[in-house]
Amino acid sequence: MKMSPIMLVLGGLMVFWASVSLMVIYPALTMKEPPSEIYRVESPEEAKGLDLYVENGCSYCHSLFIRTNDWGEGASRMADRGDYRAMRPAILGTERVGSDLSEEGGEHPDDWHLAHFINPRTVSPVSLMPSWEFMGREKIALLTAYVQSLGGKVGDYRVDRQRIWKERSLAAYRAGPDSNISWIHGQIPPVWLPMPNPYAATEADLQRGHKIYQQFCIGCHGAVGDGNGSARPYMEPPPLNFTTLRRHLVDNKYIGGIFYYQVMNGITGTGMPYFKRILESEKIWAVSNYIAVSFVGYTDAAKAPAGIEAAGEVPWKNSYVPPDTGKGAP
Ligand code: HEC
Ligand code: HEC
């Protein structure tokens, strides 16, 4: 065969189309991802929300797949290719300036997301996520529908749970402040109610608690603990007012265990998030002492100057001399 320019072009085209067929067309026709156990079809709103997610570059800061090194972060399952069956385009993101969002559905109720999208710092005071207020409420609602769909069927379960508890917490809130608090405390397992804060409310402990409050709580509960933080206009029920809690002390004495339980687990159905994965135990006790002393005006904190002796606490007074056991330093 004579190698003419026409043959060269034809041959080149044949090689090109053979590669495209083998590497693009054939796989696209034959590779059908089996749906994963959590997969479900997206609603039209959620699909529009995904478009907004892609257009606004959310994936520059968030990923949408759980990796093996996420077990320690509280992930409940590994990502499966069948999770992304209908995701077009499949922009999973690799950056994690913010958190992985693949299990975001039902983590928070919609009112939390509204406040967060309008200005992230209202609910997360040191957040560096930008404000999306310019989008307007309609688009924010679509974006919220999308993030609430993340996690598929498991996310739906959490979203349903938020909805049920939202109805209950709103009913309690509308019944008036005192019955609201009784209802909230009624959800706490009884063993936690008469539990004092085991750490002394020393100056260091209160300063630590103050810092934690500013970093995580002030946007909702407000600088003076009355629930008038910047997130309040978006929250239903609104953030709790701590300054009226004194009359709700259990047996006129206890408040520490209640605070610890609520901060650890959050209050499902309300904007109150859980902090069990962010704050260590000691910090939860410290912020509890801070709220109790500064806003409630009373703390049940342990009176012992050194807190829990055996826990390796540094004595709170510089002049504190450990008891002489005759055995030298422990
Ligand atoms: C510049 C980086 C950045 C961009 C861009 C960004 N985020 Fe974030 N996002 C963060 C950070 C940091 C956090 C964690 C602090 C917080 O809660 O605001 C966060 C938190 C979140 C959370 C809450 C996670 C949780 O449950 O605590 C959601 C939901 C979220 N982002 C959605 C979005 C969406 C949707 C977009 C796009 C419209 C977006 N983010 C764009 C940085 C970013
Ligand atoms: C996004 C808003 C938001 C943030 C952030 C937030 N809270 Fe709350 N908090 C609430 C709401 C809403 C309630 C419940 C209101 C209701 O049901 O009436 C609540 C309730 C509580 C309660 C229950 C009090 C009781 O007597 O049972 C405690 C304690 C509490 N918050 C502490 C904190 C602490 C500490 C932080 C920071 C580490 C924090 N909250 C961050 C919104 C928030």
Side-chain angles (χ1 to χ4, degrees):
M1 199 189 299
K2 194 161 179 288
M3 193 65 94
S4 65
I6 292 173
M7 287 304 286
L8 201 68
V9 170
L10 274 179
L13 279 176
M14 272 168 71
V15 172
F16 175 75
W17 282 114
S19 334
V20 170
S21 316
L22 265 177
M23 286 189 278
V24 181
I25 300 173
Y26 177 70
L29 290 177
T30 54
M31 272 172 53
K32 293 270 173 280
E33 299 298 348
S36 68
E37 76 284 6
I38 63 158
Y39 174 80
R40 66 150 172 84
V41 180
E42 257 176 2
S43 76
E45 287 79 37
E46 291 160 7
K48 284 186 199 150
L50 169 60
D51 290 343
L52 291 168
Y53 187 91
V54 173
E55 282 162 20
N56 288 282
C58 308
S59 54
Y60 289 121
C61 291
H62 292 284
S63 67
L64 283 175
F65 66 104
I66 298 164
R67 302 172 265 202
T68 38
N69 56 351
D70 292 327
W71 284 126
E73 308 285 321
S76 63
R77 67 189 273 286
M78 277 304 110
D80 184 294
R81 60 197 172 130
D83 299 351
Y84 308 101
R85 208 160 183 252
M87 191 180 181
R88 298 285 182 276
I91 294 187
L92 305 189
T94 51
E95 292 298 319
R96 283 199 183 164
V97 179
S99 45
D100 182 87
L101 293 180
S102 47
E103 296 196 320
E104 184 62 17
E107 273 287 295
H108 303 280
D110 287 357
D111 56 345
W112 186 94
H113 284 293
L114 175 62
H116 187 247
F117 281 132
I118 285 186
N119 180 357
R121 289 199 170 189
T122 55
V123 292
S124 187
V126 292
S127 176
L128 48 74
M129 175 159 143
S131 155
W132 304 95
E133 194 176 8
F134 67 87
M135 276 190 192
R137 293 290 175 102
E138 224 171 277
K139 285 189 175 167
I140 287 179
L142 296 172
L143 210 47
T144 303
Y146 175 64
V147 294
Q148 294 289 35
S149 78
L150 293 168
K153 290 178 187 164
V154 184
D156 289 349
Y157 173 83
R158 287 191 296 259
V159 169
D160 283 347
R161 191 175 56 186
Q162 289 285 7
R163 206 193 53 243
I164 292 164
W165 283 93
K166 170 72 78 197
E167 281 163 18
R168 293 177 188 167
S169 66
L170 272 176
Y173 173 71
R174 286 174 186 145
D178 283 341
S179 60
N180 188 32
I181 304 289
S182 310
W183 181 81
I184 294 175
H185 290 180
Q187 313 305 316
I188 301 175
V191 65
W192 287 85
L193 297 172
M195 193 182 289
N197 193 321
Y199 293 96
T202 60
E203 195 191 339
D205 190 68
L206 294 175
Q207 290 292 348
R208 196 177 303 143
H210 187 190
K211 225 176 148 189
I212 296 159
Y213 188 81
Q214 285 176 322
Q215 276 181 19
F216 297 100
C217 327
I218 198 165
C220 285
H221 291 288
V224 291
D226 59 357
N228 275 324
S230 48
R232 188 185 176 100
Y234 313 107
M235 295 265 137
E236 274 206 293
L240 204 76
N241 177 354
F242 297 128
T243 61
T244 58
L245 275 179
R246 183 126 194 203
R247 59 178 177 271
H248 296 283
L249 297 180
V250 174
D251 298 338
N252 287 322
K253 280 206 293 222
Y254 300 112
I255 194 81
I258 295 178
F259 281 2
Y260 189 96
Y261 185 86
Q262 306 284 49
V263 178
M264 176 168 68
N265 297 308
I267 305 180
T268 308
T270 79
M272 176 66 194
Y274 61 77
F275 289 92
K276 61 189 172 193
R277 290 182 187 150
I278 312 179
L279 294 178
E280 295 92 337
S281 179
E282 188 200 23
K283 291 184 176 165
I284 300 186
W285 286 121
V287 76
S288 303
N289 259 340
Y290 172 76
I291 297 173
V293 170
S294 312
F295 308 138
V296 183
Y298 169 85
T299 181
D300 56 9
K303 299 287 185 288
I308 302 171
E309 275 279 331
E313 296 270 290
V314 177
W316 67 290
K317 274 185 187 165
N318 293 337
S319 59
Y320 180 82
V321 183
D324 185 4
T325 54
K327 292 180 191 156

